Amino acid sequence: MQKNIIKILFICFLSISNLWAYRCHSDRCTDLRFGLGSYYGNFTTHYGDINDIGGLFSGLMEGHWRYFNVGFDLNAAYAYQHNKHFGSQTFTYTISPYIGANTGSLHKPFFIDFVMPSEYYEFGLSTNYRERNASIFFGGRIYQRIPITEEHEIEYSLSYSVAPFVRRTFYGYNELVKGNNIHRIEFNLGYLYRNDLENVYQEEDRLKRPDFYTRLKAIYYRQNQVELTPTLQYPSANNFALMLEVGVSLDTSW
């Protein structure tokens, strides 16, 4: 599983790297990002409460037109995990495809999207306390980018989604749990510095230079208690994760 994820991340990196020389046009825009950062998580698992601190890889590919947008956001983290019983590592990744309407303008977009985050968490790597959770969420998302000056922009997004079923795997148990209804709220706040030519949206053909960005992401999970078997329950919890990333953005009108 981990080898396959590494291959996917490598392919995404190559894809982004090959797009540095895209030429620009004025009828559509793309946002292509690669970033690194830090990760912190606090989770309640079958084996108790866990704190995670580690590193983060992120990527984003998005295209939008005057009235339409589509894209996906990727995060993968490897963290050191600790609770009162044991120390280990956690591996997690999230892929969030989204599609929807642009209710703003081409250069000042405001998106209203359908979003479908797919998440995988693996706690307690290489221990007897290993636990794996995989889930797919369904919900909505809004996003807005606000130019402050020609070079400086602020962006934010807010999404809410629900996972109606989760696959939970730990020692002696491996089932698709229905009716778990995990609620997920994600908020992003970012800053972009446009390292580009003057009048970026006015020129039809040009070479694109990279922009730089930083983004803070916070995710909250409300996990309801659920009966796995007549004698086994999975606990309720209020879980959360915080991520801070910096990187390059190939935001263009191409």
Side-chain angles (χ1 to χ4, degrees), residues 3-247:
K3 291 183 178 179
N4 291 334
I5 298 303
I6 292 172
K7 290 179 181 178
I8 292 172
L9 296 180
F10 182 69
I11 292 172
C12 289
F13 172 74
L14 290 180
S15 299
I16 293 173
S17 299
N18 289 332
L19 290 168
W20 287 77
Y22 262 34
R23 298 233 176 220
C24 300
H25 302 279
S26 60
D27 62 337
R28 54 197 183 274
C29 299
T30 183
D31 196 353
L32 306 166
R33 301 188 189 186
F34 168 76
L36 298 173
S38 58
Y39 173 89
Y40 174 77
N42 182 276
F43 294 90
T44 295
T45 72
H46 173 67
Y47 297 110
D49 294 337
I50 287 175
N51 291 306
D52 292 326
I53 299 177
L56 173 74
F57 166 88
S58 66
L60 182 145
M61 290 187 178
E62 176 190 282
H64 75 267
W65 292 256
R66 177 60 184 84
Y67 299 106
F68 174 75
N69 75 291
V70 62
F72 74 89
D73 200 348
L74 165 70
N75 290 294
Y78 190 86
Y80 177 76
Q81 140 192 338
H82 180 73
N83 71 1
K84 63 182 180 179
H85 299 297
F86 64 95
S88 183
Q89 291 80 42
T90 293
F91 174 73
T92 176
Y93 70 86
T94 302
I95 300 175
S96 298
Y98 52 88
I99 186 170
N102 178 15
T103 62
S105 66
L106 185 66
H107 308 138
K108 298 179 182 179
F110 187 96
F111 302 149
I112 301 176
D113 297 327
F114 169 75
V115 64
M116 192 174 68
S118 300
E119 294 194 337
Y120 175 82
Y121 276 88
E122 186 163 354
F123 304 101
L125 296 174
S126 303
T127 72
N128 292 331
Y129 301 97
R130 184 177 182 180
E131 177 180 329
R132 289 173 287 179
N133 297 326
S135 53
I136 299 178
F137 295 81
F138 302 90
R141 169 184 181 266
I142 61 172
Y143 168 92
Q144 185 176 21
R145 179 175 295 178
I146 305 171
I148 305 301
T149 67
E150 185 175 337
E151 294 181 336
H152 306 282
E153 297 183 341
I154 300 294
E155 63 177 355
Y156 72 89
S157 66
L158 177 66
S159 69
Y160 169 77
S161 53
V162 178
F165 46 83
V166 180
R167 177 162 291 278
R168 299 198 181 277
T169 304
F170 48 85
Y171 183 79
Y173 188 87
N174 184 352
E175 295 290 342
L176 184 66
V177 182
K178 299 180 180 179
N180 204 172
N181 293 332
I182 299 179
H183 300 263
R184 181 184 191 274
I185 299 174
E186 177 181 324
F187 176 72
N188 289 270
L189 180 63
Y191 161 77
L192 292 93
Y193 172 73
R194 302 187 61 84
N195 180 36
D196 213 330
L197 304 176
E198 293 183 1
N199 301 317
V200 56
Y201 294 114
Q202 305 303 317
E203 300 191 18
E204 287 295 321
D205 293 295
R206 61 179 180 79
L207 287 175
K208 169 65 184 174
R209 295 188 297 178
D211 300 333
F212 299 94
Y213 80 95
T214 182
R215 180 170 64 166
L216 175 66
K217 174 179 292 186
I219 306 176
Y220 166 78
Y221 304 88
R222 172 55 190 171
Q223 175 179 286
N224 297 326
Q225 180 174 293
V226 61
E227 291 189 2
L228 303 180
T229 69
T231 59
L232 178 63
Q233 292 182 333
Y234 201 89
S236 63
N238 296 296
N239 301 324
F240 68 90
L242 298 173
M243 288 156 269
L244 178 64
E245 63 186 82
V246 294

